[in-house]
C-alpha cells in the first residue's frame, strides 16, 4: 500500500527535477498549472494536494501528448460520476488501487481506458513493518547519488540536484460539483505486490516507474495504448530504505525528523547508507534566495541513463486477490 508520502522540494525545485527531453531532443521543464495549491511536507496523507505529472494534451487538446505539465491534485480519486456535492461523503477509500483488480472497478477502469494516466511525484513514501508486536515506520525512496554536473552556486529554492524523485504510476479523474463550482482533479496510486527488496516491510508497494522511458510512455496516452502502458506496472527492486521515528505516525507532524534515519535499538540518528546520508545532507542545507529569471542547466532524473530492473509481471493484472477499494478509509489529515 501507500498511505503516507514526503515531498519536501518547493514548486520550482520540482519543476527543475522533472526536466526532460521532448521528441525533438530539446530540453524542457514541465509548466506548473496551479503551483499555488501545492505546499511541501515531510508527512503527506490522503486528502492533501500533491504534485502530479500528466500529458499537456489532457488540458490543451491541440498540444502534443508527449508534453508534460505539473498539476497539484487531491490524493484520493473522486470519480467523475460521483453525485454528492461533497467529495468527503465518499464511502470508500480511493487513495490506492490494486493493479490486479483496477480493470474490474468502475472508479478506475473508466478513467484508465480514457487515458487518464499520471505520475505522482514524491521524495519517498512511508510503510509500516510489524515488529515485535509494534509497527515500525520506514522511509522508502530511489537510491540517491551526487550529480557531478551541478554547481552549488546555482542553487535556488531547495536544491533538486541529486534528489531523484520517486515516480509512482497513478490514475486521475476530474469531478465537477453537481451544483456548479470549480472542477476537482484527484488521483489514486496504483499498487502491486511488493518486490523482494521491500517485502520484509510490507506485502504491497506502489507501482513505481523506473526511468524516463517508463514515465514518458505511461504519460503519453495518445501514442501508447492502455495495454502497452500496463507493461510498466510491476514491482521494482531499485529502492533504498531506512527506519524512521514513530513521530511520522501522527500526520500533523511535519518536520525533517519524519525522514531522519534512526537506529532501531537505540532510537537515535545513525549512518545507515550513502542514500540516507544524502537525505540528511539535503535537510541540513539552507535554501538559497530564489532567482526570478533563467533556470540553471543542472541534471534531471529524466535526462540520464537509468538502471532499472525490467521485470514483466502481466500476471498481476489478472490475479483476483482481496479488494482494496472497499478497505476502511485512511485516517484523514488536515489539508496540506
Amino acid at each position: 500500500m501507500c498511505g503516507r508520502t514526503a515531498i519536501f522540494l518547493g514548486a520550482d525545485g520540482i519543476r527543475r527535477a522533472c526536466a526532460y527531453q521532448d521528441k525533438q531532443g530539446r530540453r524542457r521543464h514541465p509548466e506548473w498549472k496551479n503551483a499555488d495549491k501545492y505546499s511541501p511536507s515531510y508527512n503527506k496523507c490522503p486528502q492533501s494536494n500533491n504534485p502530479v505529472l500528466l500529458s499537456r494534451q489532457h488540458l490543451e487538446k491541440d498540444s502534443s501528448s508527449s508534453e508534460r505539465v505539473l498539476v497539484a491534485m487531491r490524493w484520493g480519486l473522486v470519480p467523475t460520476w460521483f453525485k454528492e456535492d461533497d467529495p468527503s461523503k465518499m464511502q470508500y477509500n480511493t487513495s490506492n488501487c490494486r493493479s490486479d483488480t483496477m480493470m474490474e472497478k468502475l472508479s478506475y477502469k473508466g478513467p484508465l481506458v480514457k487515458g487518464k494516466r499520471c505520475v505522482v511525484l514524491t521524495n519517498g513514501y512511508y510503510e509500516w513493518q510489524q515488529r515485535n508486536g509494534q509497527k515500525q515506520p520506514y522511509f522508502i525512496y530511489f537510491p540517491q547519488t551526487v550529480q557531478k554536473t551541478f554547481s552549488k552556486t546555482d542553487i535556488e529554492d531547495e536544491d533538486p540536484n541529486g534528489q531523484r524523485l520517486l515516480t509512482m504510476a497513478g490514475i486521475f479523474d476530474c469531478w465537477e460539483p453537481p451544483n456548479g463550482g470549480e472542477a476537482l482533479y484527484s488521483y489514486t496510486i496504483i499498487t502491486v505486490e511488493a518486490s523482494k527488496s521491500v517485502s520484509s516491510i510490507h506485502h504491497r508497494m506502489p507501482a513505481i516507474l523506473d526511468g524516463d522511458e517508463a514515465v514518458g510512455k505511461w504519460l503519453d496516452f495518445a501514442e501508447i495504448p492502455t495495454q502497452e502502458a500496463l507493461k510498466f506496472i510491476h514491482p521494482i527492486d531499485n529502492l533504498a530504505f531506512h527506519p524512521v521515528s514513530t513521530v511520522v505516525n501522527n500526520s500533523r507532524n511535519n518536520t525533517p525528523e519524519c525522514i531522519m534515519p534512526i537506529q532501531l535499538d537505540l532510537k537515535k540518528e545513525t549512518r545507515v547508507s550513502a542514500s540516507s546520508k544524502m537525505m540528511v545532507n539535503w535537510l541540513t542545507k539552507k535554501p538559497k534566495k530564489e532567482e526570478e529569471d533563467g533556470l540553471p542547466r543542472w541534471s534531471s532524473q529524466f535526462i540520464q541513463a537509468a538502471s532499472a530492473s525490467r521485470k514483466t509481471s502481466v500476471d498481476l493484472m489478472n490475479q483476483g486477490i482481496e479488494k482494496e477499494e472497499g478497505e476502511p478509509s485512511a485516517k484523514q489529515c488536515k489539508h496540506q
Side-chain angles (χ1 to χ4, degrees), residues 199-270:
S199 61
S200 63
I201 300 174
H202 197 275
H203 67 285
R204 303 289 295 176
M205 68 181 295
I208 296 169
L209 302 165
D210 192 0
D212 194 51
E213 178 188 5
V215 169
K217 289 188 175 181
W218 181 254
L219 292 175
D220 194 351
F221 69 99
E223 296 293 331
I224 308 299
T226 302
Q227 291 304 316
E228 183 176 346
L230 288 177
K231 294 177 182 178
F232 293 96
I233 304 302
H234 54 70
I236 70 165
D237 283 309
N238 183 31
L239 294 170
F241 57 85
H242 58 253
V244 295
S245 168
T246 54
V247 70
V248 74
N249 292 1
N250 189 330
S251 61
R252 291 190 293 269
N253 293 331
N254 175 22
T255 66
E257 184 182 358
C258 290
I259 73 166
M260 288 290 191
I262 64 167
Q263 191 173 50
L264 289 179
D265 292 335
L266 301 179
K267 295 294 183 186
K268 66 179 181 181
E269 290 184 19
T270 185

Side-chain angles (χ1 to χ4, degrees), residues 44 47 92 100 115 133 168 208 223 294 328:
K44 289 277 193 178
Q47 315 299 324
Y92 49 91
D100 45 335
M168 302 179 180
I208 296 169
E223 296 293 331

